[in-house]
Amino acid sequence: MKYYKFFRYNTAMKYSECFIKDNSIWKNENLYCNEIQEIHNENIEYVLSKNIAPVDFPNADAFLISKRFFDIINKLNKSFSSFKSLLYWKNEITGFDFYTIIFPKYKLLNLSKSDYETDHVYDTNEEFIWRINKIVLNKKQINILKDDNFFCLEEEPITLICTETAKQAIEEAGLIGIAFEEVPVE
């Protein structure tokens, strides 16, 4: 099985970017890092940078995806959380159908083969990975992915990885705004 790192592939000049509304109760959540501390009863609200439809995986403050992309994830993943998201243009709700996703996280980085940089937590001096320059997945750990074709790395939760099955489904559906880079497994 092959694995791929996801990239948002769109130009801000052509498509709309999406930003969580400043007055949203979700603004203080760490959605960009694929984390959530508290589930709120409100939809996640975003403001568009332009009055045009965003791509299926737009530049956003979180893993914001189109309904077409959501349907693929729903079919290929057992583990994920989703939140209906409203997109606004000049304080008016648009008709665009989008969701914010929290993907499962797995500790799969092959630390001896990957290239990464670390830092330390100020008060505990605990070391953590703050940037991965080259991802190599751990061959011994990869078998834990039984029912998830989309996942994030626990070591860097802003990095979204998918299987070859997921990549093919995305390409067959003609989703836009997504690019892939194959990730080695050793």
Side-chain angles (χ1 to χ4, degrees):
M1 171 77 69
K2 292 182 179 179
Y3 296 87
Y4 298 88
K5 179 180 177 182
F6 260 72
F7 290 96
R8 289 179 166 103
Y9 182 74
N10 50 19
T11 59
M13 306 224 346
K14 185 174 181 184
Y15 298 104
S16 192
E17 294 180 290
C18 307
F19 305 96
I20 295 175
K21 287 179 89 172
D22 286 334
N23 62 349
S24 171
I25 194 165
W26 292 93
K27 188 73 174 175
N28 294 325
E29 295 293 340
N30 202 6
L31 295 171
Y32 180 75
C33 289
N34 193 45
E35 295 176 357
I36 200 164
Q37 303 302 318
E38 182 180 344
I39 296 176
H40 305 285
N41 290 329
E42 297 178 14
N43 292 320
I44 302 176
E45 299 174 322
Y46 293 84
V47 176
L48 297 173
S49 63
K50 299 177 182 178
N51 191 20
I52 54 176
V55 293
D56 292 296
F57 189 47
N59 285 329
D61 294 338
F63 287 120
L64 180 68
I65 61 168
S66 69
K67 173 74 165 92
R68 296 183 330 143
F69 192 0
F70 175 82
D71 290 342
I72 292 170
I73 293 168
N74 199 31
K75 192 183 313 179
L76 296 177
N77 256 50
K78 278 201 173 175
S79 308
F80 71 95
S81 298
S82 63
F83 303 91
K84 182 69 178 147
S85 300
L86 302 176
L87 278 54
Y88 287 80
W89 170 250
K90 293 190 176 180
N91 296 320
E92 304 256 338
I93 296 176
T94 67
F96 307 133
D97 200 2
F98 277 75
Y99 295 82
T100 300
I101 303 294
I102 302 294
F103 289 98
K105 293 184 273 191
Y106 294 105
K107 195 168 188 141
L108 296 174
L109 194 64
N110 184 328
L111 296 173
S112 64
K113 305 275 181 160
S114 298
D115 178 26
Y116 58 91
E117 298 173 42
T118 62
D119 201 352
H120 293 85
V121 177
Y122 174 73
D123 37 343
T124 65
N125 208 28
E126 181 182 337
E127 187 175 64
F128 66 94
I129 294 173
W130 73 275
R131 179 172 39 199
I132 301 174
N133 302 312
K134 178 187 173 199
I135 296 171
V136 178
L137 298 178
N138 189 324
K139 189 176 193 174
K140 293 177 184 174
Q141 296 292 104
I142 206 75
N143 61 353
I144 65 173
L145 299 173
K146 296 184 182 4
D147 297 314
D148 291 322
N149 286 278
F150 297 91
F151 59 92
C152 288
L153 294 175
E154 189 174 304
E155 298 88 348
E156 187 181 61
I158 62 171
T159 300
L160 181 59
I161 306 285
C162 74
T163 63
E164 188 170 20
T165 302
K167 179 181 180 280
Q168 289 171 347
I170 288 167
E171 291 172 341
E172 288 170 11
L175 300 186
I176 56 174
I178 302 167
F180 302 95
E181 177 184 295
E182 189 172 346
V183 174
V185 178
E186 296 178 20

